[in-house]
Amino acid sequence: MDDVNPPGPAGPTDITDDLVRREAKKATVWLGIAAIFALVVLLAQPIMLIIGGIVFAAMIDGGQRLLARVLPWIPRGLRITIVLLGTFAFLVWLVIFAGGQIAAQAAQLPEVIQRQLTNLSLWAQSHGISVQNLDLQSIASQVLGSVGQVTRALGGIFGGFTTAFLIFILSIYFVLEPDLYRRGVAWMLPEVSRRHWEGTALRMGKSLRMLLFGRLIGMAVEGVATWALLAWWGVPMAALLGLLTGLLAFLPNIGAPISGALMIMVGFSGGTEMGLFCIAVYLVVQTVDGNIIVPMVAKRTVDLAPALVLGAQLMFGLLFGILGLMLADPIVAMLKIALERQAERNDANRAEA
């Protein structure tokens, strides 16, 4: 005789109707997706820190790979140490030797911009452009506020010690043992998807290295060339403008217009010839970067549409601030590679079927 008691009547929480059961499952799935989305929003800052660590680790790994071509007999750990020490030495030089001059020039920048806005208003009036309803003080406040946001954002790169330190520590862990973390993610996936993930992760790493290598080359070329040309002509605040141009070059589509506008406004503060020279410098530097460096890098990395990158920058900048703005390009690159790899997998599965 079976000892199991026969099922009793349905309780108030039991769902016996098949249609209601299916709809309840669908609702559970949607609620789960909403909960995951809410969790991502709540954990946005830690997630961005982790992504920042991955991106910075790719930069370090790219540096040690370049050293491996010159010094192949040096262990990988030592090459990573050399890259980190070189980066630290550059930052120390920037703070000690260039910090005083750049800080003094940064204090003069808002005054120069406001004076140029006043000159622009007078020029408009002299050419018959009505400015009666133009609140110059409001415009000046908005422009200076925008410049202040850029300055604070750039300062946050150097002054946000907590965020920078966490990203730095994470990047060291990632770059020292990349296989460990790649295997850890693969372990959480179904067994049939692990080899696919390995290939995707390797392709992402290579593309990130090339993307960031090109970005660093562009930053160095734009920053040094801008500083050298402006200093040669005697443009005020040449060191600050060179630094801003180099740093803002990390932000494609957005950084160049901002640095160019600042450069031109400062140039016209010294006269028409100096302003025209600054326009020429901006055009030449951007032409070299856009027609030589960017195509050279794009051939060996993921090809991103400018509109897609700009849209991602606007969204990530709004959601995550300056960190999201900086990481928008690498995130879009990784997402595109993941989608391309999935499309290749789907094509292979259809070919086998």
Side-chain angles (χ1 to χ4, degrees), residues 28 45 51 62 65 91 95 97 111-112 115 150-152 188 196 235 261 272 283 292 300 325 343:
T28 302
Q45 190 67 19
I51 296 176
R65 286 172 182 264
L91 293 177
V95 172
F97 294 98
E111 179 183 353
V112 172
R115 186 169 62 249
V150 174
T151 305
R152 287 193 298 270
M188 294 185 291
H196 174 77
V235 177
T272 303
L283 293 177
I292 298 178
R300 303 185 62 182
L325 188 64

Side-chain angles (χ1 to χ4, degrees), residues 137-328:
Q137 188 64 32
S138 175
I139 294 178
S141 300
Q142 293 178 3
V143 173
L144 292 177
S146 301
V147 174
Q149 291 177 2
V150 174
T151 305
R152 287 193 298 270
L154 294 175
I157 298 175
F158 297 103
F161 292 109
T162 303
T163 300
F165 179 74
L166 290 175
I167 291 177
F168 178 72
I169 295 299
L170 286 171
S171 65
I172 292 178
Y173 284 130
F174 290 146
V175 77
L176 286 178
E177 295 181 300
D179 295 337
L180 174 65
Y181 298 100
R182 192 167 59 245
R183 289 196 305 267
V185 175
W187 177 79
M188 294 185 291
L189 299 175
E191 187 173 358
V192 294
S193 301
R194 293 176 183 175
R195 180 174 295 180
H196 174 77
W197 156 251
E198 288 285 341
T200 302
L202 291 175
R203 186 181 296 185
M204 284 182 178
K206 181 179 179 180
S207 296
L208 274 182
R209 289 193 300 270
M210 292 304 304
L211 179 68
L212 297 172
F213 174 73
R215 194 66 47 78
L216 291 176
I217 293 295
M219 291 171 64
V221 170
E222 291 190 28
V224 173
T226 300
W227 165 74
L229 292 173
L230 296 183
W232 172 71
W233 191 270
V235 177
M237 295 175 279
L240 175 63
L241 292 173
L243 177 63
L244 289 174
T245 300
L247 292 177
L248 288 171
F250 192 82
L251 306 176
N253 304 322
I254 295 178
I258 297 175
S259 61
L262 296 176
M263 184 194 312
I264 293 170
M265 294 182 74
V266 172
F268 276 104
S269 68
T272 303
E273 292 185 359
M274 184 176 292
L276 294 176
F277 176 78
C278 288
I279 294 176
V281 169
Y282 172 75
L283 293 177
V284 169
V285 170
Q286 295 303 319
T287 299
V288 171
D289 183 56
N291 294 320
I292 298 178
I293 298 176
V294 172
M296 178 185 66
V297 176
K299 291 179 181 179
R300 303 185 62 182
T301 185
V302 59
D303 189 15
L304 299 177
L308 177 63
V309 175
L310 179 59
Q313 288 175 330
L314 295 176
M315 290 188 295
F316 280 95
L318 179 62
L319 292 174
F320 309 114
I322 184 63
L323 190 59
L325 188 64
M326 294 174 58
L327 299 178

Side-chain angles (χ1 to χ4, degrees), residues 116-135:
Q116 289 302 99
L117 287 174
T118 303
N119 294 337
L120 180 62
S121 175
L122 295 175
W123 177 87
Q125 290 179 349
S126 65
H127 286 75
I129 301 175
S130 177
V131 292
Q132 294 178 356
N133 298 324
L134 187 63
D135 188 355

